[in-house]
Amino acid sequence: MPIGLVTRLAWRNLWRRPRRTIIMVVAIALGIWSMIALGAVVRGMLEGQIDKEIFNLTGHIQIHAPGFTDDPVVDNSMPAASPALGAVLDQAAVAWAERVRVPAVVASERESTGVSLLGIDPTQERGLSFIGDGVHQGRELTSITDRGIVVGRKLLERLETDLGKRVVVMSQDRANEVADRGFRIVGVFHAEMEAVEEGFAFVGRSVAQDLLKMHDQISEIGVLAHDRDDLDELLTTLGTRAPELDVQSWRELKPLLVLTNKIVDVMLYIWFVVVFMAMSFGLVNTLLMAVYERTREIGLLQALGMRPTLILGQVSMETLFLLLVGAVFGNLCVWATLLWFADGIDVSRFAQGVQMFNMSPIMQPLATLQDIVAANLIVLGLGLIASLYPAWRASRYVPVEAITRT
Amino acid sequence: MDDTVVCRALTKVYQEDSVAVHALRGIDLVVPRHDFLCLSGPSGSGKSTLLNLIGGLDSPSAGEVRVDGLKLAEMNRSELAQLRLHRLGFVFQSYNLIPVLSAIENVEFVLQLQGMSFTQRRRKARAILAEVDLQGLEHRRPGELSGGQQQRVAVARAIVSEPSLVLADEPTANLDSVTAENLMALLRHMNEEHGVTFIFSTHDKLVMDYSRRLIKLHDGEIAADERRT
C-alpha cells in the first residue's frame, strides 16, 4: 500500500478548504477540551471530597473491635495494638494512631450538645488527621495525659463559651455509669466544614481512658498508608495479624463516597460519548461534503488505477489527520486550562453548597491519565468509525459516473 | 496474443426516465497491438461510451470486452483498477490532473501506485516531462499551468508507465493548434518507438490526420472502419 501517496493526498486535501478544516478542528478541540477539562473539574471535586474525608479522622484503614462500626460505644473497645501489629504498622504505614472515640455530651454554663469525644495521642495524629495540623487559637494538646480539651470554633459558638473557660464532658463508662469531668478549653481548631468544627472534641487519650474506665483499651486504630488505591496487601497483612478485629479500608467505611466515584465514572463516559455524538454529526457532514465536491477527482483516481480500498484509506486518513490536529489542539487547551487553574478554583462563594457536598472551597482540577486516554480514544476511534460511511461511499463510485458528474 | 482490444457484440443501453437510450448497438471491434486508432462521429454516436467500456470504467449491457486477452466482465472492481494501473493510460478532455499534486507528482502518481522507488520514478517523470517540453514547470500545481500544459502533463502521466494501451478522449479539445500538433507528434512517436497502442475519441481533424486507422461511429454502430497510410 503506497502509504506515502495516500498520506500526502489526505494531508493536502485537508487544507483545500482551510476555513472548513479550521472550523472542524476547533469543534474537535472544543469537544476534547470539554471532555477532559470538565471531567477534571468533576474528578477534582470528588478527589477533594475523598481526601478531606480521609483527613477527617477516617484515614485509609481503620481497625476496630467487632461491632464498633455499627455501634461506636465504649463497650465495643479493644486492646491497644499488639507488638506484632505495631511492628507491621510501623513498617508499612505512613502514620497510625490509637484513639478512643465515644459519643459524649459537652456542656458549658449556658448550652450543651452531643459530640464525638476523641482521646488522642497528639504526636501520632501529625500527618494523619486534621487535628495533627495544630489549632488556630490557644494551644494544641501536648500529650496523652494533657488535661485540656480542644474544640472546634463552631462548637465554641454553640456552647456560648470561650477559650480558657471550662466545660463538662459526660459519657457512659465501661461500668455503664455516667462518667463526667470538667475540662478547660485550651485550644480551638478551624475546619473547612462546620459539621467537623461542631461535631468533635479532643482530649488526651490517657485522660479519656481514665474518664471512661477503659484502662489501656482503645476504640480504634487509624492508619494512613502510602497509596489509598493500593491497600489490598496491607489489609491482608493486618487481617492476618489481628484476625479477631475488623480491618476496614476507607472504601468500606465510606461506601457512599465509593458509589459517588463509580457514578461519576459512568457519567463522565456518557458525557464523553454525548459530546462525541454532537461532534460526529459535523465530522460526517464535512466529510460527505468533501467527498461529494471531489467526486470527479475520485473518479479520476479510480481511472488511474487506485483501488477502492486505497480510496477508502485515503478518506479515512484525511479524517485521522483532522482528528489528530483537533486532538492536539484540544489537549493543548486542556493543558493550558489546568495550568491556569494550577492553584485550584476558588468556589468559596458557593460556601453552603461546598459544605453540603463536603468539598474544599479550593477545588483542584484533576485530569487523570485514564480520562485523557479515554477521551482521545473515543474521539479518534469513534471518529474513524464515523468516517467509514463517507469513505465507503467514495470507494463505491462507478468511475464513469464519477468522472462525468458535473 | 496480438490484439490489445477485442470487443464482441458490445451493447450499452442507458435508462433515462424509463426511456432506453442505446449508446452502443452490438459493436465488434479488434484493435491490434501498436495500433493508432481514432474513433470519430457526431455527439451521441457512442465514442466516449466505447472508450469507457474498453477502459473498464463502465460495464456493458451485453457483449464482452477483452484487453490484452483479459475478459473485463470477469473482473471485480479491484482487479479492474489493477488492470487500469498496469496496462492502461487515460487522457481525458478536461479535469485530468489531481489539483493537490504538482506536475511531477501527477506524473509520478501511477508509478507510485505501482510501487516504484522514489529515485526511479522521479527520474522517469523528469524525463517524460522533458519530452513533453515541460522542464522547469515540474513543481507547479495544475492551477498554475495553462490548459495546454495541463494536457501535456496528463499525456505524460498516461504514457510514463509504458502501458500497452492509451485511451484518449478528445485530447486536443482545449489546445491551440500548435500545441495540439506537438502533442499528436509526441503520441505518434510513443506509438512508433515504444509500441504503445492508442485509441482516440475526437472531432478534431488533426487527430484524425495523425491516426493510422479511422473508425466512424453513428448511432452506436460502426459506420466505417478505414486504414490510412
Side-chain angles (χ1 to χ4, degrees):
Chain A
M1 184 169 173
I3 290 284
L5 179 64
V6 170
T7 306
R8 191 189 309 145
L9 279 174
W11 180 253
R12 291 187 188 171
N13 278 330
L14 198 62
W15 300 104
R16 282 166 84 161
R17 295 207 179 254
R19 191 186 301 173
R20 189 165 67 194
T21 299
I22 288 168
I23 288 172
M24 206 53 229
V25 162
V26 169
I28 294 166
L30 203 63
I32 286 193
W33 175 84
S34 72
M35 286 178 183
I36 302 175
L38 297 187
V41 169
V42 176
R43 284 251 184 258
M45 198 171 80
L46 195 64
E47 286 294 308
Q49 272 182 302
I50 294 171
D51 286 344
K52 190 176 272 295
E53 200 59 60
I54 283 169
F55 210 49
N56 281 348
L57 300 160
T58 302
H60 291 153
I61 294 171
Q62 284 188 8
I63 304 171
H64 302 113
F68 181 86
T69 312
D70 294 331
D71 190 11
V73 292
V74 70
D75 294 334
N76 290 324
S77 55
M78 62 186 189
S82 65
L85 189 61
V88 172
L89 290 169
D90 283 341
Q91 194 195 352
V94 174
W96 64 281
E98 293 165 312
R99 299 178 186 132
V100 169
R101 187 197 287 245
V102 289
V105 173
V106 184
S108 67
E109 69 274 31
R110 288 200 180 91
E111 293 288 339
S112 65
T113 185
V115 295
S116 278
L117 179 72
L118 275 110
I120 59 167
D121 178 344
T123 54
Q124 286 185 328
E125 294 293 338
R126 292 211 174 89
L128 177 63
S129 67
F130 71 90
I131 198 64
D133 281 356
V135 293
H136 286 75
Q137 282 177 274
R139 65 168 178 83
E140 58 190 78
L141 296 173
T142 53
S143 70
I144 56 172
T145 55
D146 194 316
R147 293 183 176 280
I149 188 168
V150 171
V151 297
R153 178 180 48 185
K154 195 70 187 170
L155 184 60
L156 206 67
E157 286 173 19
R158 173 97 186 239
L159 295 173
E160 296 180 26
T161 184
D162 214 340
L163 185 68
K165 294 197 171 175
R166 285 181 74 84
V167 288
V168 175
V169 174
M170 277 190 299
S171 189
Q172 190 94 196
D173 67 15
R174 288 285 299 222
N176 291 330
E177 297 295 334
V178 171
D180 58 72
R181 177 181 174 151
F183 288 88
R184 189 171 303 281
I185 299 170
V186 295
V188 179
F189 69 84
H190 291 188
E192 284 166 356
M193 286 178 65
E194 288 185 351
V196 173
E197 286 185 355
E198 200 173 347
F200 293 98
F202 297 90
V203 297
R205 190 178 68 218
S206 188
V207 175
Q209 285 167 330
D210 285 346
L211 171 67
L212 302 166
K213 297 186 176 61
M214 291 174 75
H215 306 293
D216 285 338
Q217 295 266 306
I218 56 170
S219 306
E220 71 184 27
I221 298 173
V223 182
L224 192 74
H226 290 281
D227 182 356
R228 71 160 198 243
D229 295 320
D230 186 19
L231 297 174
D232 290 350
E233 198 182 327
L234 183 56
L235 283 168
T236 308
T237 310
L238 292 174
T240 312
R241 291 297 164 94
E244 74 286 5
L245 301 177
D246 282 347
V247 180
Q248 292 170 297
S249 73
W250 65 273
R251 291 178 183 278
E252 292 165 279
L253 294 162
K254 301 288 173 188
L256 191 62
L257 213 51
V258 176
L259 181 66
T260 311
N261 208 350
K262 283 181 181 165
I263 291 172
V264 163
D265 263 348
V266 174
M267 293 301 287
L268 272 184
Y269 291 126
I270 291 174
W271 163 247
F272 286 3
V273 172
V274 167
V275 171
F276 171 78
M277 295 279 278
M279 206 166 70
S280 67
F281 286 114
L283 181 68
V284 171
N285 186 44
T286 300
L287 288 169
L288 279 173
M289 276 170 68
V291 164
Y292 183 77
E293 281 172 2
R294 298 208 303 268
T295 303
R296 292 186 70 179
E297 192 178 313
I298 290 165
L300 175 66
L301 297 178
Q302 290 176 314
L304 295 176
M306 202 165 185
R307 291 197 309 274
T309 46
L310 277 184
I311 290 170
L312 189 132
Q314 192 219 302
V315 177
S316 299
M317 185 79 84
E318 218 169 301
T319 316
L320 183 65
F321 281 140
L322 192 64
L323 293 167
L324 281 175
V325 173
V328 166
F329 278 106
N331 285 293
L332 281 175
C333 290
V334 169
W335 175 75
T337 307
L338 293 179
L339 207 62
W340 182 267
F341 291 114
D343 296 330
I345 302 168
D346 186 356
V347 289
S348 54
R349 73 179 67 172
F350 310 109
Q352 280 190 325
V354 164
Q355 294 250 346
M356 197 166 77
F357 289 104
N358 194 13
M359 286 163 52
S360 166
I362 301 294
M363 193 169 56
Q364 197 71 46
L366 176 73
T368 65
L369 184 65
Q370 181 190 331
D371 287 344
I372 293 171
V373 170
N376 281 282
L377 279 183
I378 283 174
V379 169
L380 293 178
L382 295 185
L384 277 176
I385 291 171
S387 78
L388 284 179
Y389 173 61
W392 177 82
R393 275 191 62 163
S395 72
R396 302 305 296 173
Y397 282 150
V398 177
V400 72
E401 289 174 7
I403 287 172
T404 53
R405 185 173 290 178
T406 50
Chain B
M1 183 66 62
D2 287 335
D3 298 325
T4 303
V5 177
V6 176
C7 300
R8 296 280 176 228
L10 200 57
T11 301
K12 182 68 186 178
V13 182
Y14 292 108
Q15 208 66 38
E16 284 181 6
D17 297 334
S18 74
V19 177
V21 178
H22 291 262
L24 294 178
R25 299 165 188 267
I27 296 275
D28 288 309
L29 174 68
V30 175
V31 182
R33 205 160 292 285
H34 313 322
D35 212 348
F36 203 74
L37 180 156
C38 181
L39 300 170
S40 73
S43 294
S45 59
K47 305 185 295 294
S48 296
T49 302
L50 184 54
L51 276 191
N52 291 334
L53 292 178
I54 292 171
L57 299 178
D58 201 358
S59 50
S61 307
E64 70 167 33
V65 182
R66 287 172 190 258
V67 174
D68 283 347
L70 299 166
K71 279 175 84 168
L72 303 195
E74 290 175 355
M75 302 171 96
N76 62 28
R77 295 166 73 95
S78 260
E79 289 166 338
L80 283 171
Q82 287 298 100
L83 173 93
R84 289 193 290 267
L85 177 63
H86 292 284
R87 295 172 190 261
L88 303 184
F90 285 92
V91 182
F92 299 103
Q93 181 178 346
S94 60
Y95 210 87
N96 251 318
L97 302 179
I98 301 159
V100 291
L101 298 181
S102 66
I104 197 161
E105 287 170 338
N106 263 285
V107 175
E108 285 179 336
F109 182 84
V110 173
L111 302 177
Q112 198 168 355
L113 278 183
Q114 287 177 346
M116 193 178 281
S117 73
F118 175 79
T119 322
Q120 245 185 318
R121 67 173 189 258
R122 183 101 333 179
R123 186 163 36 78
K124 281 194 90 167
R126 278 192 195 286
I128 204 85
L129 280 172
E131 225 171 313
V132 295
D133 204 18
L134 286 172
Q135 305 100 310
L137 302 178
E138 291 95 337
H139 298 289
R140 290 204 184 169
R141 294 266 178 104
E144 299 162 340
L145 297 170
S146 69
Q149 288 167 335
Q150 287 186 36
Q151 200 67 336
R152 278 185 280 159
V153 175
V155 168
R157 186 187 54 205
I159 59 181
V160 71
S161 61
E162 295 168 25
S164 57
L165 172 65
V166 172
L167 301 167
D169 192 3
E170 305 278 9
T172 57
N174 297 319
L175 305 183
D176 61 72
S177 58
V178 177
T179 311
E181 175 95 41
N182 291 341
L183 183 68
M184 287 314 295
L186 171 72
L187 297 180
R188 185 71 181 257
H189 170 75
M190 290 300 299
N191 172 253
E192 286 167 357
E193 294 299 315
H194 300 284
V196 180
T197 307
F198 282 86
I199 302 178
F200 301 97
S201 143
T202 190
H203 290 103
D204 190 348
K205 186 168 180 310
L206 175 77
V207 179
M208 295 180 209
D209 290 344
Y210 263 92
S211 63
R212 285 200 297 271
R213 182 181 175 193
L214 181 63
I215 293 178
K216 288 185 179 162
L217 290 173
H218 188 76
D219 285 345
E221 291 177 330
I222 294 178
D225 182 353
E226 58 186 67
R227 283 271 163 202
R228 301 152 69 97
T229 53

